[in-house]
Amino acid sequence: MLLLFETAAGFALFKVNKEDKLEKSDDLYKDFETLDSAKKFVKLKAFSKFDNTTEALAAATALVESKLSKGLKKFLKKHAVGDTLAVLDAKLGGLIKEKLEINCVHK
């Protein structure tokens, strides 16, 4: 399983190392509080840096509106096809599944 994480600097995909341990966690905040503890659960698979603030703003606007930006589509096609992707936004997850045929889970 991959986790999609959106930042002001770009998009990141993290590979979940131990899904069962993550699901059984009593305190996710504590599990991700430090870099060393987070490394037990996830590993960075890919990162796509925004080229400029205009691109970052367009990507952020698309995410707020639950839309897929061109950059996110390209990034996911390159790095997430064939895997299950965890996203926070249910509408965005539905779009990813529909348009890119990538299996998504969301809350």
Side-chain angles (χ1 to χ4, degrees), residues 67-96:
K67 294 180 181 177
L68 283 170
S69 66
K70 288 181 183 180
L72 181 56
K73 284 182 192 176
K74 184 178 176 182
F75 178 65
L76 293 176
K77 283 181 183 178
K78 183 175 182 180
H79 298 288
V81 171
D83 219 326
T84 299
L85 182 66
V87 298
L88 186 60
D89 185 333
K91 189 173 179 183
L92 181 63
L95 282 172
I96 291 169

Side-chain angles (χ1 to χ4, degrees), residues 1 3 14-25 28 31-32 36-43:
M1 178 182 295
L3 301 175
F14 290 92
K15 176 77 176 164
V16 177
N17 298 326
K18 300 176 183 178
E19 286 182 47
D20 58 332
K21 190 172 180 182
L22 192 61
E23 290 172 359
K24 295 176 184 176
S25 175
L28 277 177
D31 292 335
F32 284 83
D36 288 334
S37 62
K39 284 181 181 180
K40 295 175 186 174
F41 294 95
V42 296
K43 179 180 180 181

Side-chain angles (χ1 to χ4, degrees), residues 24-55:
K24 295 176 184 176
S25 175
D26 292 329
D27 188 356
L28 277 177
Y29 176 78
K30 185 175 181 183
D31 292 335
F32 284 83
E33 195 170 31
T34 67
L35 179 61
D36 288 334
S37 62
K39 284 181 181 180
K40 295 175 186 174
F41 294 95
V42 296
K43 179 180 180 181
L44 182 64
K45 178 180 179 179
F47 186 79
S48 176
K49 180 180 173 276
F50 297 131
D51 292 330
N52 53 50
T53 55
T54 303
E55 184 182 351

